[in-house]
Amino acid sequence: MTLPQVRARDWVAAAKTAQRRHRAEGAAVPPSPKARRQSAALYVHWPYCKKRCSYCNFNKYIPRGVEEAAFRSCLVTEARTLLQLSGVRRIESVFFGGGTPSLASPHTVAAVLEAVAQAAHLPSDAEVTLEANPTSSPGSRLAAFGKAGVNRLSIGLQSLDDTELQLLGRTHSASDALRTLAEARRLFPGRVSVDLMLGLPAQQVGSWLGQLQELLRHCDDHISLYQLTLERGTALFTQVQQGVLPAPDAELSAEMYQKGRAVLRKAGFRQYEVSNFARNGALSTHNWQYWQCGQYLGIGPGAHGRFLPQGARGHCREARIQTLEPDNWMKEVKLCGHGTRKRVPLSELDLLEEVLAMGLRTDVGITHQHWQQFEPQLTLWDVFGTSQEVKILLEQGFLLLDHRGLRCSWEGLAVLDSLLLSLLPQLQEAWQQKPTP
Amino acid sequence: MWVLACWGWRRRHALVQWLPLPCRGRTRGAPLEPWALARLYSNADRKEKFDMSRFPVENIRNFSIIAHVDHGKSTLADRLLELTGTIDKTKNNKQVLDKLQVERERGITVKAQTASLFYNCAGKQYLLNLIDTPGHVDFSYEVSRSLSACQGVLLVVDANEGIQAQTVANFFLAFEAQLSVIPVINKIDLKNADPAKVEKQIEKVFDIPSDKCIKISAKLGTNVESVLQAVIERIPPPKVHCKNPLRALVFDSTFDQYRGVIANVALFDGVVSKGDKIVSAHTQKTYDVNEVGVLNPNEQPTHKLYAGQVGYLIAGMKDVKEAQIGDTLYLHKQPVEPLPGFKSAKPMVFAGMYPIDQSEYNNLKSAVEKLTLNDSSVTVYRDSSPALGAGWRLGFLGLLHMEVFNQRLEQEYNASVILTTPTVPYKAILSSGKLIKEYREKEIMIINPAQFPDKSKVTEYLEPVVMGTIITPDEYTGQIMMLCQARRAVQKNMVYIDQNRVMLKYLFPLNEIVVDFYDSLKSLSSGYASFDYEDAGYQTAELVKMDILLNGNIVEELVTVVHKDKAHSVGKIICERLKDSLPRQLFEIAVQAAIGSKVIARETVKAYRKNVLAKCYGGDITRKMKLLKRQAEGKKKLRKIGNIEVPKDAFIKVLKTQSDK
């Protein structure tokens, strides 16, 4: 980390100037296969939190103290190793997620970015997002993260109701959240996202819509609406099981979602994914990669990745998971340069199924060009055009299949999981009948 | 009478051999059972133990014990077996004749057993044949066949509970068969016993003078000897003729894996011995008699059986259906007039039976086959349902018979099954010439609702009815009458059998009592009311075929035949159950019950509004894909009605027997 200091700092400066220009475009012109193989997104997992949130089942730990220098050096090592293993030459975006990555020092963020910039091309306008928790993100810290290379913030605001925030086990209040949001917007104009949850136990449609309206008065160009999923093993799940809290009402949640979508549309937001809304083109390029089934490397404890290892026999993309527990992960990284715990080869069909399931989560759906990148032989028409079941879904207006490609209608997007139960078997069938070359 | 050295193996033999089907799922005679080996060894020294010619007809008594559930029939049988030295007197003799787990648990006798008792009285050697009968009216045909081999019965009544519904039903079966009835008041040792009150009930209901009642405690053995005295004094010997050609009644049969069918027979005329050629009057098949003997209570070979005697006969029959209860056997080339009253088992209640998992089909099939080997009264038709897969439509003599069959499948074969709501066999009198030609008869039986002919093609529909007897403390009379009315029953009689107990007679459509009637009766009378019924033929009924529709498409497996007056309530229940068990889909589902084109009940299953996973990033993708693929796999197994997917569970919830009140 000694030599490239200057270069890295140059990159930060260049990125700063570029970030205002940059606007992610949903359906960009597809790059060549080789270019695609050599580029990826990078996810960095920071597994530590100050406090456990009642709804969260992510891979996170509440440590007494973090040996940050050691952890940082492991992140750097793993980034280098995976870049080398994957043969990736270009990192399109970086996302620091967690856990609570805003608890990390900006120096750690900088170190990872520097390592990446050394080993691969990190374009000056590459999106670098940090998940930020309102309580751990005073303006000065946010500015420091900006200096380290972060150019986009995702704020875990979750609610603008203090009672709800308490129920969720969050450490911040609604006013903390709004203050953080204002500071973030000042530092990263047009590059701030906020999360708002819906479908909490006992939550009412009217008051939730009130929160959304208030948020619209304060927010930037990106909002994520997440319906609460009760996950086994969380405090909230237990409380609902024991009857201490009422179970979230599916009907009400659906109503909040539908009304929320409509409100955001009216406010000029494009719903570019099931839970994600952006205006002025402020889509998250990083997340877009997931839904477009681009390659991504995952570093840090429990991080997931999907890429084609260099020199792999055949040309099989792998789903990879890093070791979950931070201490073990660190040991492994020190020992072999990476903490990959599990590698699952994805078959061509597996990958196509992901292309289908992920792509349909977006508003553009799966374009013919996009599909062709993954499956040059069978067109979307070949796969879905003749199915009676799909025809019914088209007639009922849940799906559209036209010259642009296959996508969900406004109504269809909300019930995508049901649609996929018809589409996936259809894809499998078409795949089996595909003439072997 | 006993060769003492043989006693050891004999007792074991007696205990095991009588199991019609051992619990481990083998049929009787499975190899390596210790008793089976013992029998092999003993064959060598198997000598004639009884010379049956020593018993002249006047020294023979054939009798049965009849009683309401739990009034002590089997305990009295145990004491009689002990008193006559037929079995050892030990504390372990509990319901020696009830071998099945279900019999002991429920305190009922399912499979009739028989024992020949040898008894010395006033210097004379008597042969007393105790012909045990199934204790429930579902088996009333078997009971009546057993009774036709008897000249008298012991009518056992609990000194505490008094006359119950089944006591009445049993009494009239014996009365109609013109048998001598000896009332025995049992359990006089109980604290609340009131034998005097029961004597009065017996006098009132059965018109038997109270001084004719014998008061005993079968449990303690009190006064049991006088029962044997009464059997000798009050029951006449059989009226038979040894000189006439053989005429033998088959009143029961069991199946042995190695020896074939073992038929229990009562000889009305003639003699039968090993080597005779005999003919079944019902099937006209001829057999060679391999073995005859008496049941003591284990099989005891003899040279011959003579008129008036009761025993067993083995003649190379391979299937219990060849030795049907009520059939008459006679000697080859010496045909006789068959004994009256023979009829094939007539199923009264039908139910679909399916394995819970189709992979269990073959195991269940073999279990059903083994059980029916010993119970020819169960009729088995193969059936299949698009939703539940391959299975059977089984016909039973009655509800208890069905429950017992199911319980034996579970207990003895460890088989779990889906049993659909029972239905009854309806009839239709056809008016359409075309249909009459097709069916080749005017009156047809409708077992499957799919066969229900349209009203325009029939003169009338008929439904089976039963005469129900209810005995209850009078404080419950009002509620019971309301219950009966709600079940479309017509009151035929009502009498007080003592100061506060009432006997009600109602004519019930059988269909109205096949589901949960007994439970309702028991719960509204705090368990005090007893119920029994007997077949009462058919009556005209306004029957309709009710369709269940999902968005206008008929669900075949839910088509039901109902009485017009009940269509609305039954349709409503089915729609509600379907609504609760149908998963939401992409569109609204109308669940309707309809008669022809008229909708009589409706429920709505709302459409899904949102079912897309909110978050789907890195790690979620793998999890999500796994879940989706599993769901898609499961979806392939769903039955489609129109474009609605119906899981098997939904059908089970609607079709399964369950209380609906």
Side-chain angles (χ1 to χ4, degrees), chain A residues 259-288:
Chain A
K259 289 197 166 149
R261 295 170 82 186
V263 164
L264 287 172
R265 181 157 73 170
K266 232 177 171 178
F269 281 82
R270 163 182 165 197
Q271 182 177 15
Y272 69 101
E273 195 261 353
V274 170
S275 304
N276 288 284
F277 302 78
R279 63 184 168 197
N280 303 323
L283 286 71
S284 160
T285 32
H286 183 84
N287 290 339
W288 189 258

PDB file of all heavy atoms in Angstrom, chain A residues 259-288:
ATOM      1  N   LYS A 259     -49.818   1.793  -3.268  1.00  0.00           N
ATOM      2  CA  LYS A 259     -50.023   3.236  -3.156  1.00  0.00           C
ATOM      3  C   LYS A 259     -48.691   3.981  -3.181  1.00  0.00           C
ATOM      4  O   LYS A 259     -48.576   5.065  -3.756  1.00  0.00           O
ATOM      5  CB  LYS A 259     -50.804   3.560  -1.882  1.00  0.00           C
ATOM      6  CG  LYS A 259     -52.260   3.096  -2.023  1.00  0.00           C
ATOM      7  CD  LYS A 259     -53.168   3.734  -0.994  1.00  0.00           C
ATOM      8  CE  LYS A 259     -54.621   3.510  -1.409  1.00  0.00           C
ATOM      9  NZ  LYS A 259     -55.518   3.405  -0.248  1.00  0.00           N
ATOM     10  N   GLY A 260     -47.687   3.375  -2.528  1.00  0.00           N
ATOM     11  CA  GLY A 260     -46.359   3.974  -2.506  1.00  0.00           C
ATOM     12  C   GLY A 260     -45.779   4.103  -3.908  1.00  0.00           C
ATOM     13  O   GLY A 260     -45.225   5.138  -4.292  1.00  0.00           O
ATOM     14  N   ARG A 261     -45.933   3.045  -4.702  1.00  0.00           N
ATOM     15  CA  ARG A 261     -45.447   3.081  -6.092  1.00  0.00           C
ATOM     16  C   ARG A 261     -46.105   4.222  -6.847  1.00  0.00           C
ATOM     17  O   ARG A 261     -45.454   4.952  -7.602  1.00  0.00           O
ATOM     18  CB  ARG A 261     -45.843   1.795  -6.827  1.00  0.00           C
ATOM     19  CG  ARG A 261     -45.235   0.540  -6.337  1.00  0.00           C
ATOM     20  CD  ARG A 261     -45.923  -0.646  -6.994  1.00  0.00           C
ATOM     21  NE  ARG A 261     -45.380  -0.910  -8.320  1.00  0.00           N
ATOM     22  CZ  ARG A 261     -45.880  -1.809  -9.157  1.00  0.00           C
ATOM     23  NH1 ARG A 261     -46.947  -2.517  -8.823  1.00  0.00           N
ATOM     24  NH2 ARG A 261     -45.337  -2.009 -10.326  1.00  0.00           N
ATOM     25  N   ALA A 262     -47.403   4.355  -6.630  1.00  0.00           N
ATOM     26  CA  ALA A 262     -48.148   5.372  -7.367  1.00  0.00           C
ATOM     27  C   ALA A 262     -47.691   6.771  -6.950  1.00  0.00           C
ATOM     28  O   ALA A 262     -47.491   7.656  -7.792  1.00  0.00           O
ATOM     29  CB  ALA A 262     -49.642   5.195  -7.121  1.00  0.00           C
ATOM     30  N   VAL A 263     -47.499   6.955  -5.645  1.00  0.00           N
ATOM     31  CA  VAL A 263     -47.068   8.256  -5.139  1.00  0.00           C
ATOM     32  C   VAL A 263     -45.717   8.618  -5.743  1.00  0.00           C
ATOM     33  O   VAL A 263     -45.497   9.744  -6.210  1.00  0.00           O
ATOM     34  CB  VAL A 263     -46.983   8.227  -3.592  1.00  0.00           C
ATOM     35  CG1 VAL A 263     -46.184   9.418  -3.071  1.00  0.00           C
ATOM     36  CG2 VAL A 263     -48.381   8.196  -2.979  1.00  0.00           C
ATOM     37  N   LEU A 264     -44.797   7.644  -5.761  1.00  0.00           N
ATOM     38  CA  LEU A 264     -43.455   7.920  -6.269  1.00  0.00           C
ATOM     39  C   LEU A 264     -43.479   8.183  -7.766  1.00  0.00           C
ATOM     40  O   LEU A 264     -42.741   9.023  -8.280  1.00  0.00           O
ATOM     41  CB  LEU A 264     -42.518   6.762  -5.927  1.00  0.00           C
ATOM     42  CG  LEU A 264     -42.136   6.685  -4.436  1.00  0.00           C
ATOM     43  CD1 LEU A 264     -41.373   5.413  -4.136  1.00  0.00           C
ATOM     44  CD2 LEU A 264     -41.288   7.899  -4.053  1.00  0.00           C
ATOM     45  N   ARG A 265     -44.347   7.474  -8.462  1.00  0.00           N
ATOM     46  CA  ARG A 265     -44.440   7.709  -9.906  1.00  0.00           C
ATOM     47  C   ARG A 265     -44.885   9.149 -10.174  1.00  0.00           C
ATOM     48  O   ARG A 265     -44.338   9.842 -11.029  1.00  0.00           O
ATOM     49  CB  ARG A 265     -45.411   6.712 -10.540  1.00  0.00           C
ATOM     50  CG  ARG A 265     -45.512   6.908 -12.052  1.00  0.00           C
ATOM     51  CD  ARG A 265     -45.967   5.689 -12.768  1.00  0.00           C
ATOM     52  NE  ARG A 265     -47.383   5.446 -12.555  1.00  0.00           N
ATOM     53  CZ  ARG A 265     -48.070   4.537 -13.235  1.00  0.00           C
ATOM     54  NH1 ARG A 265     -47.474   3.785 -14.142  1.00  0.00           N
ATOM     55  NH2 ARG A 265     -49.341   4.349 -12.996  1.00  0.00           N
ATOM     56  N   LYS A 266     -45.868   9.560  -9.374  1.00  0.00           N
ATOM     57  CA  LYS A 266     -46.387  10.908  -9.512  1.00  0.00           C
ATOM     58  C   LYS A 266     -45.300  11.943  -9.235  1.00  0.00           C
ATOM     59  O   LYS A 266     -45.260  13.007  -9.825  1.00  0.00           O
ATOM     60  CB  LYS A 266     -47.537  11.113  -8.523  1.00  0.00           C
ATOM     61  CG  LYS A 266     -48.791  11.651  -9.171  1.00  0.00           C
ATOM     62  CD  LYS A 266     -49.867  11.744  -8.128  1.00  0.00           C
ATOM     63  CE  LYS A 266     -51.075  12.482  -8.648  1.00  0.00           C
ATOM     64  NZ  LYS A 266     -52.127  12.500  -7.601  1.00  0.00           N
ATOM     65  N   ALA A 267     -44.399  11.580  -8.289  1.00  0.00           N
ATOM     66  CA  ALA A 267     -43.322  12.505  -7.914  1.00  0.00           C
ATOM     67  C   ALA A 267     -42.151  12.449  -8.893  1.00  0.00           C
ATOM     68  O   ALA A 267     -41.087  13.001  -8.619  1.00  0.00           O
ATOM     69  CB  ALA A 267     -42.847  12.180  -6.498  1.00  0.00           C
ATOM     70  N   GLY A 268     -42.342  11.749  -9.997  1.00  0.00           N
ATOM     71  CA  GLY A 268     -41.313  11.745 -11.032  1.00  0.00           C
ATOM     72  C   GLY A 268     -40.270  10.660 -10.903  1.00  0.00           C
ATOM     73  O   GLY A 268     -39.238  10.688 -11.568  1.00  0.00           O
ATOM     74  N   PHE A 269     -40.522   9.723 -10.037  1.00  0.00           N
ATOM     75  CA  PHE A 269     -39.568   8.626  -9.877  1.00  0.00           C
ATOM     76  C   PHE A 269     -39.884   7.491 -10.842  1.00  0.00           C
ATOM     77  O   PHE A 269     -41.049   7.170 -11.084  1.00  0.00           O
ATOM     78  CB  PHE A 269     -39.620   8.074  -8.442  1.00  0.00           C
ATOM     79  CG  PHE A 269     -38.877   8.929  -7.450  1.00  0.00           C
ATOM     80  CD1 PHE A 269     -39.460  10.074  -6.894  1.00  0.00           C
ATOM     81  CD2 PHE A 269     -37.589   8.592  -7.068  1.00  0.00           C
ATOM     82  CE1 PHE A 269     -38.786  10.846  -5.984  1.00  0.00           C
ATOM     83  CE2 PHE A 269     -36.896   9.365  -6.142  1.00  0.00           C
ATOM     84  CZ  PHE A 269     -37.501  10.500  -5.594  1.00  0.00           C
ATOM     85  N   ARG A 270     -38.836   6.887 -11.347  1.00  0.00           N
ATOM     86  CA  ARG A 270     -38.983   5.714 -12.211  1.00  0.00           C
ATOM     87  C   ARG A 270     -38.770   4.495 -11.325  1.00  0.00           C
ATOM     88  O   ARG A 270     -37.781   4.409 -10.600  1.00  0.00           O
ATOM     89  CB  ARG A 270     -37.916   5.773 -13.311  1.00  0.00           C
ATOM     90  CG  ARG A 270     -37.672   4.457 -14.027  1.00  0.00           C
ATOM     91  CD  ARG A 270     -36.550   4.620 -15.064  1.00  0.00           C
ATOM     92  NE  ARG A 270     -36.073   3.303 -15.500  1.00  0.00           N
ATOM     93  CZ  ARG A 270     -34.919   3.103 -16.119  1.00  0.00           C
ATOM     94  NH1 ARG A 270     -34.120   4.132 -16.406  1.00  0.00           N
ATOM     95  NH2 ARG A 270     -34.559   1.887 -16.480  1.00  0.00           N
ATOM     96  N   GLN A 271     -39.724   3.563 -11.343  1.00  0.00           N
ATOM     97  CA  GLN A 271     -39.519   2.336 -10.576  1.00  0.00           C
ATOM     98  C   GLN A 271     -38.695   1.418 -11.472  1.00  0.00           C
ATOM     99  O   GLN A 271     -39.216   0.699 -12.310  1.00  0.00           O
ATOM    100  CB  GLN A 271     -40.856   1.663 -10.224  1.00  0.00           C
ATOM    101  CG  GLN A 271     -40.628   0.418  -9.385  1.00  0.00           C
ATOM    102  CD  GLN A 271     -41.910  -0.262  -8.948  1.00  0.00           C
ATOM    103  OE1 GLN A 271     -42.982   0.014  -9.486  1.00  0.00           O
ATOM    104  NE2 GLN A 271     -41.793  -1.149  -7.978  1.00  0.00           N
ATOM    105  N   TYR A 272     -37.389   1.433 -11.272  1.00  0.00           N
ATOM    106  CA  TYR A 272     -36.552   0.655 -12.187  1.00  0.00           C
ATOM    107  C   TYR A 272     -36.338  -0.767 -11.695  1.00  0.00           C
ATOM    108  O   TYR A 272     -35.816  -1.597 -12.408  1.00  0.00           O
ATOM    109  CB  TYR A 272     -35.228   1.368 -12.455  1.00  0.00           C
ATOM    110  CG  TYR A 272     -34.249   1.441 -11.298  1.00  0.00           C
ATOM    111  CD1 TYR A 272     -33.166   0.569 -11.239  1.00  0.00           C
ATOM    112  CD2 TYR A 272     -34.399   2.384 -10.294  1.00  0.00           C
ATOM    113  CE1 TYR A 272     -32.260   0.629 -10.192  1.00  0.00           C
ATOM    114  CE2 TYR A 272     -33.500   2.453  -9.240  1.00  0.00           C
ATOM    115  CZ  TYR A 272     -32.428   1.570  -9.180  1.00  0.00           C
ATOM    116  OH  TYR A 272     -31.531   1.630  -8.150  1.00  0.00           O
ATOM    117  N   GLU A 273     -36.795  -1.038 -10.459  1.00  0.00           N
ATOM    118  CA  GLU A 273     -36.741  -2.404  -9.939  1.00  0.00           C
ATOM    119  C   GLU A 273     -37.854  -2.551  -8.921  1.00  0.00           C
ATOM    120  O   GLU A 273     -38.399  -1.541  -8.444  1.00  0.00           O
ATOM    121  CB  GLU A 273     -35.378  -2.672  -9.300  1.00  0.00           C
ATOM    122  CG  GLU A 273     -35.064  -4.146  -9.045  1.00  0.00           C
ATOM    123  CD  GLU A 273     -35.305  -4.587  -7.606  1.00  0.00           C
ATOM    124  OE1 GLU A 273     -35.599  -3.720  -6.739  1.00  0.00           O
ATOM    125  OE2 GLU A 273     -35.202  -5.799  -7.344  1.00  0.00           O
ATOM    126  N   VAL A 274     -38.163  -3.793  -8.563  1.00  0.00           N
ATOM    127  CA  VAL A 274     -39.253  -4.082  -7.626  1.00  0.00           C
ATOM    128  C   VAL A 274     -39.288  -3.097  -6.454  1.00  0.00           C
ATOM    129  O   VAL A 274     -40.338  -2.560  -6.117  1.00  0.00           O
ATOM    130  CB  VAL A 274     -39.138  -5.534  -7.102  1.00  0.00           C
ATOM    131  CG1 VAL A 274     -40.104  -5.776  -5.959  1.00  0.00           C
ATOM    132  CG2 VAL A 274     -39.380  -6.528  -8.231  1.00  0.00           C
ATOM    133  N   SER A 275     -38.133  -2.860  -5.821  1.00  0.00           N
ATOM    134  CA  SER A 275     -38.114  -2.035  -4.618  1.00  0.00           C
ATOM    135  C   SER A 275     -37.373  -0.720  -4.794  1.00  0.00           C
ATOM    136  O   SER A 275     -37.188   0.005  -3.828  1.00  0.00           O
ATOM    137  CB  SER A 275     -37.451  -2.805  -3.470  1.00  0.00           C
ATOM    138  OG  SER A 275     -38.111  -4.031  -3.269  1.00  0.00           O
ATOM    139  N   ASN A 276     -36.916  -0.435  -6.001  1.00  0.00           N
ATOM    140  CA  ASN A 276     -36.036   0.726  -6.187  1.00  0.00           C
ATOM    141  C   ASN A 276     -36.595   1.753  -7.161  1.00  0.00           C
ATOM    142  O   ASN A 276     -37.085   1.417  -8.230  1.00  0.00           O
ATOM    143  CB  ASN A 276     -34.659   0.255  -6.642  1.00  0.00           C
ATOM    144  CG  ASN A 276     -33.913  -0.409  -5.501  1.00  0.00           C
ATOM    145  OD1 ASN A 276     -33.410   0.265  -4.605  1.00  0.00           O
ATOM    146  ND2 ASN A 276     -33.890  -1.734  -5.497  1.00  0.00           N
ATOM    147  N   PHE A 277     -36.490   3.012  -6.721  1.00  0.00           N
ATOM    148  CA  PHE A 277     -37.084   4.131  -7.448  1.00  0.00           C
ATOM    149  C   PHE A 277     -36.037   5.235  -7.608  1.00  0.00           C
ATOM    150  O   PHE A 277     -35.324   5.544  -6.662  1.00  0.00           O
ATOM    151  CB  PHE A 277     -38.276   4.681  -6.665  1.00  0.00           C
ATOM    152  CG  PHE A 277     -39.346   3.650  -6.384  1.00  0.00           C
ATOM    153  CD1 PHE A 277     -39.186   2.716  -5.355  1.00  0.00           C
ATOM    154  CD2 PHE A 277     -40.508   3.594  -7.143  1.00  0.00           C
ATOM    155  CE1 PHE A 277     -40.159   1.771  -5.089  1.00  0.00           C
ATOM    156  CE2 PHE A 277     -41.497   2.646  -6.886  1.00  0.00           C
ATOM    157  CZ  PHE A 277     -41.319   1.726  -5.855  1.00  0.00           C
ATOM    158  N   ALA A 278     -35.948   5.779  -8.806  1.00  0.00           N
ATOM    159  CA  ALA A 278     -34.953   6.833  -9.029  1.00  0.00           C
ATOM    160  C   ALA A 278     -35.528   7.897  -9.947  1.00  0.00           C
ATOM    161  O   ALA A 278     -36.380   7.623 -10.787  1.00  0.00           O
ATOM    162  CB  ALA A 278     -33.697   6.238  -9.656  1.00  0.00           C
ATOM    163  N   ARG A 279     -35.081   9.133  -9.739  1.00  0.00           N
ATOM    164  CA  ARG A 279     -35.412  10.169 -10.724  1.00  0.00           C
ATOM    165  C   ARG A 279     -34.116  10.811 -11.204  1.00  0.00           C
ATOM    166  O   ARG A 279     -33.055  10.603 -10.602  1.00  0.00           O
ATOM    167  CB  ARG A 279     -36.385  11.206 -10.149  1.00  0.00           C
ATOM    168  CG  ARG A 279     -35.852  11.994  -8.995  1.00  0.00           C
ATOM    169  CD  ARG A 279     -36.922  12.929  -8.431  1.00  0.00           C
ATOM    170  NE  ARG A 279     -36.442  13.454  -7.155  1.00  0.00           N
ATOM    171  CZ  ARG A 279     -37.227  14.031  -6.256  1.00  0.00           C
ATOM    172  NH1 ARG A 279     -38.527  14.130  -6.484  1.00  0.00           N
ATOM    173  NH2 ARG A 279     -36.726  14.496  -5.139  1.00  0.00           N
ATOM    174  N   ASN A 280     -34.231  11.551 -12.265  1.00  0.00           N
ATOM    175  CA  ASN A 280     -33.059  12.174 -12.895  1.00  0.00           C
ATOM    176  C   ASN A 280     -31.978  11.145 -13.215  1.00  0.00           C
ATOM    177  O   ASN A 280     -30.790  11.425 -13.122  1.00  0.00           O
ATOM    178  CB  ASN A 280     -32.481  13.277 -11.992  1.00  0.00           C
ATOM    179  CG  ASN A 280     -33.540  14.326 -11.672  1.00  0.00           C
ATOM    180  OD1 ASN A 280     -34.373  14.650 -12.531  1.00  0.00           O
ATOM    181  ND2 ASN A 280     -33.542  14.808 -10.448  1.00  0.00           N
ATOM    182  N   GLY A 281     -32.399   9.952 -13.513  1.00  0.00           N
ATOM    183  CA  GLY A 281     -31.444   8.924 -13.940  1.00  0.00           C
ATOM    184  C   GLY A 281     -30.513   8.418 -12.849  1.00  0.00           C
ATOM    185  O   GLY A 281     -29.484   7.801 -13.132  1.00  0.00           O
ATOM    186  N   ALA A 282     -30.881   8.633 -11.566  1.00  0.00           N
ATOM    187  CA  ALA A 282     -29.967   8.280 -10.478  1.00  0.00           C
ATOM    188  C   ALA A 282     -30.043   6.813 -10.054  1.00  0.00           C
ATOM    189  O   ALA A 282     -30.052   6.486  -8.881  1.00  0.00           O
ATOM    190  CB  ALA A 282     -30.228   9.199  -9.277  1.00  0.00           C
ATOM    191  N   LEU A 283     -30.096   5.909 -11.031  1.00  0.00           N
ATOM    192  CA  LEU A 283     -30.149   4.481 -10.709  1.00  0.00           C
ATOM    193  C   LEU A 283     -28.844   4.046 -10.062  1.00  0.00           C
ATOM    194  O   LEU A 283     -27.797   4.634 -10.320  1.00  0.00           O
ATOM    195  CB  LEU A 283     -30.343   3.655 -11.989  1.00  0.00           C
ATOM    196  CG  LEU A 283     -31.694   3.628 -12.669  1.00  0.00           C
ATOM    197  CD1 LEU A 283     -31.997   4.962 -13.316  1.00  0.00           C
ATOM    198  CD2 LEU A 283     -31.706   2.529 -13.711  1.00  0.00           C
ATOM    199  N   SER A 284     -28.918   2.978  -9.282  1.00  0.00           N
ATOM    200  CA  SER A 284     -27.686   2.433  -8.724  1.00  0.00           C
ATOM    201  C   SER A 284     -27.093   1.474  -9.752  1.00  0.00           C
ATOM    202  O   SER A 284     -27.684   0.446 -10.070  1.00  0.00           O
ATOM    203  CB  SER A 284     -27.990   1.667  -7.432  1.00  0.00           C
ATOM    204  OG  SER A 284     -26.923   0.786  -7.143  1.00  0.00           O
ATOM    205  N   THR A 285     -25.928   1.849 -10.296  1.00  0.00           N
ATOM    206  CA  THR A 285     -25.318   0.959 -11.303  1.00  0.00           C
ATOM    207  C   THR A 285     -24.888  -0.349 -10.685  1.00  0.00           C
ATOM    208  O   THR A 285     -24.903  -1.375 -11.330  1.00  0.00           O
ATOM    209  CB  THR A 285     -24.062   1.581 -11.950  1.00  0.00           C
ATOM    210  OG1 THR A 285     -23.432   2.399 -10.987  1.00  0.00           O
ATOM    211  CG2 THR A 285     -24.404   2.350 -13.180  1.00  0.00           C
ATOM    212  N   HIS A 286     -24.465  -0.252  -9.431  1.00  0.00           N
ATOM    213  CA  HIS A 286     -23.977  -1.471  -8.782  1.00  0.00           C
ATOM    214  C   HIS A 286     -25.089  -2.525  -8.689  1.00  0.00           C
ATOM    215  O   HIS A 286     -24.937  -3.661  -9.122  1.00  0.00           O
ATOM    216  CB  HIS A 286     -23.434  -1.160  -7.391  1.00  0.00           C
ATOM    217  CG  HIS A 286     -22.857  -2.359  -6.712  1.00  0.00           C
ATOM    218  ND1 HIS A 286     -21.572  -2.765  -6.929  1.00  0.00           N
ATOM    219  CD2 HIS A 286     -23.409  -3.263  -5.859  1.00  0.00           C
ATOM    220  CE1 HIS A 286     -21.341  -3.870  -6.220  1.00  0.00           C
ATOM    221  NE2 HIS A 286     -22.455  -4.185  -5.568  1.00  0.00           N
ATOM    222  N   ASN A 287     -26.205  -2.121  -8.125  1.00  0.00           N
ATOM    223  CA  ASN A 287     -27.309  -3.074  -7.990  1.00  0.00           C
ATOM    224  C   ASN A 287     -27.837  -3.508  -9.354  1.00  0.00           C
ATOM    225  O   ASN A 287     -28.270  -4.632  -9.530  1.00  0.00           O
ATOM    226  CB  ASN A 287     -28.430  -2.468  -7.148  1.00  0.00           C
ATOM    227  CG  ASN A 287     -28.017  -2.347  -5.694  1.00  0.00           C
ATOM    228  OD1 ASN A 287     -27.098  -3.053  -5.256  1.00  0.00           O
ATOM    229  ND2 ASN A 287     -28.658  -1.451  -4.962  1.00  0.00           N
ATOM    230  N   TRP A 288     -27.799  -2.601 -10.291  1.00  0.00           N
ATOM    231  CA  TRP A 288     -28.250  -2.925 -11.644  1.00  0.00           C
ATOM    232  C   TRP A 288     -27.476  -4.137 -12.178  1.00  0.00           C
ATOM    233  O   TRP A 288     -28.029  -4.995 -12.861  1.00  0.00           O
ATOM    234  CB  TRP A 288     -28.061  -1.704 -12.568  1.00  0.00           C
ATOM    235  CG  TRP A 288     -28.688  -1.867 -13.905  1.00  0.00           C
ATOM    236  CD1 TRP A 288     -28.030  -2.178 -15.062  1.00  0.00           C
ATOM    237  CD2 TRP A 288     -30.064  -1.750 -14.229  1.00  0.00           C
ATOM    238  NE1 TRP A 288     -28.921  -2.266 -16.093  1.00  0.00           N
ATOM    239  CE2 TRP A 288     -30.187  -2.009 -15.611  1.00  0.00           C
ATOM    240  CE3 TRP A 288     -31.215  -1.444 -13.490  1.00  0.00           C
ATOM    241  CZ2 TRP A 288     -31.418  -1.988 -16.273  1.00  0.00           C
ATOM    242  CZ3 TRP A 288     -32.432  -1.419 -14.149  1.00  0.00           C
ATOM    243  CH2 TRP A 288     -32.533  -1.685 -15.519  1.00  0.00           C
TER     244      TRP A 288
END
